[in-house]
Amino acid sequence: DFQSEISNVFELGYRTQPITAVTFSLTGFRTLNNKLRSGQPAPAFIQNMIEGSTNGVEGWGTYQVTPKWRLSAGFVELRQQLGLVAGSRDPTGPGALGTDPKHQWQLRSAFNLSDKHEFDMAVRHVASLEYSTVPAYTAVDMRLAWRMSKSADLSLTLQNLFDPGHIEFGAPATASEIARGAYLKLLWKM
């Protein structure tokens, strides 16, 4: 008896480029959700007995500091209000659906050191997950690239530079952890 979930989405946004070097966008949104997936204890089966709303604001911007250096930033604020429909016996309820962070942001720098060398850096922060034991984290990634020729690029990427690892989703026993890493990449174009 499972039916399609229904989401009615309303968005209002503004995007502009006030000067050549600067662009930004700001969007507000509201989603009205009906017939969201829910479950029942044994004998288990799927129903449509969760409803609610999601509200948020999203923004991003870029600033071309110099012809060789660009800064970017973005953020999302999100609030979910989900609840069980009267009569539901779902043991986990909205916790199985509302697993998005309330806020996250990112800062990026892209710098062309020369015509053949690039240095990029990104810092991102993600809030803890409300219905989960996944804590908030901040990660820093860096990339150094060398254009060896018209057909070959070599780059070194360092991921989670200042953190040995962080959990992004899942229960503690089965969590998916993103570890610190270093990646060397050779790209050959034919």
Side-chain angles (χ1 to χ4, degrees), residues 1-10 30-38 47-54 80-83 85 97:
D1 295 328
F2 185 75
Q3 301 172 8
S4 294
E5 299 173 316
I6 298 172
S7 291
N8 294 303
V9 181
F10 306 91
R30 179 170 174 79
T31 305
L32 303 176
N33 305 296
N34 292 300
K35 299 182 180 180
L36 297 181
R37 175 183 48 84
S38 64
Q47 292 183 308
N48 297 94
M49 298 191 76
I50 295 178
E51 63 184 12
S53 63
T54 303
Q80 293 179 316
Q81 296 85 31
L82 302 175
V85 174
L97 301 178

Side-chain angles (χ1 to χ4, degrees), residues 2-182:
F2 185 75
Q3 301 172 8
S4 294
E5 299 173 316
I6 298 172
S7 291
N8 294 303
V9 181
F10 306 91
E11 292 185 11
L12 181 62
Y14 180 74
R15 181 180 295 172
T16 188
Q17 185 174 8
I19 59 175
T20 304
V22 176
T23 60
F24 68 87
S25 172
L26 187 64
T27 303
F29 57 89
R30 179 170 174 79
T31 305
L32 303 176
N33 305 296
N34 292 300
K35 299 182 180 180
L36 297 181
R37 175 183 48 84
S38 64
Q40 290 288 358
F45 59 94
I46 299 173
Q47 292 183 308
N48 297 94
M49 298 191 76
I50 295 178
E51 63 184 12
S53 63
T54 303
N55 304 295
V57 177
E58 177 181 18
W60 61 262
T62 60
Y63 174 43
Q64 192 71 42
V65 181
T66 69
K68 294 185 175 193
W69 185 27
R70 183 178 64 249
L71 297 174
S72 304
F75 74 94
V76 176
E77 284 291 326
L78 182 68
R79 299 293 182 263
Q80 293 179 316
Q81 296 85 31
L82 302 175
L84 294 171
V85 174
S88 174
R89 296 183 311 135
D90 189 322
T92 59
L97 301 178
T99 56
D100 297 304
K102 286 188 175 180
H103 63 267
Q104 50 190 316
W105 55 261
Q106 180 173 5
L107 303 172
R108 296 180 63 91
S109 171
F111 189 66
N112 293 336
L113 299 169
S114 70
D115 291 339
K116 293 189 174 199
H117 298 90
E118 300 172 354
F119 177 68
D120 303 328
M121 183 172 163
V123 179
R124 69 185 182 285
H125 175 79
V126 178
S128 61
L129 300 184
E130 183 175 357
Y131 295 105
S132 175
T133 57
V134 176
Y137 68 88
T138 302
V140 177
D141 301 334
M142 292 182 178
R143 177 181 162 271
L144 182 62
W146 171 36
R147 188 172 305 113
M148 299 171 5
S149 68
K150 288 182 180 182
S151 60
D153 293 340
L154 181 66
S155 64
L156 173 66
T157 300
L158 304 176
Q159 185 180 22
N160 288 330
L161 193 59
F162 301 114
D163 183 9
H166 62 267
I167 297 172
E168 292 194 356
F169 59 89
T174 60
S176 175
E177 185 167 343
I178 307 300
R180 178 183 295 144

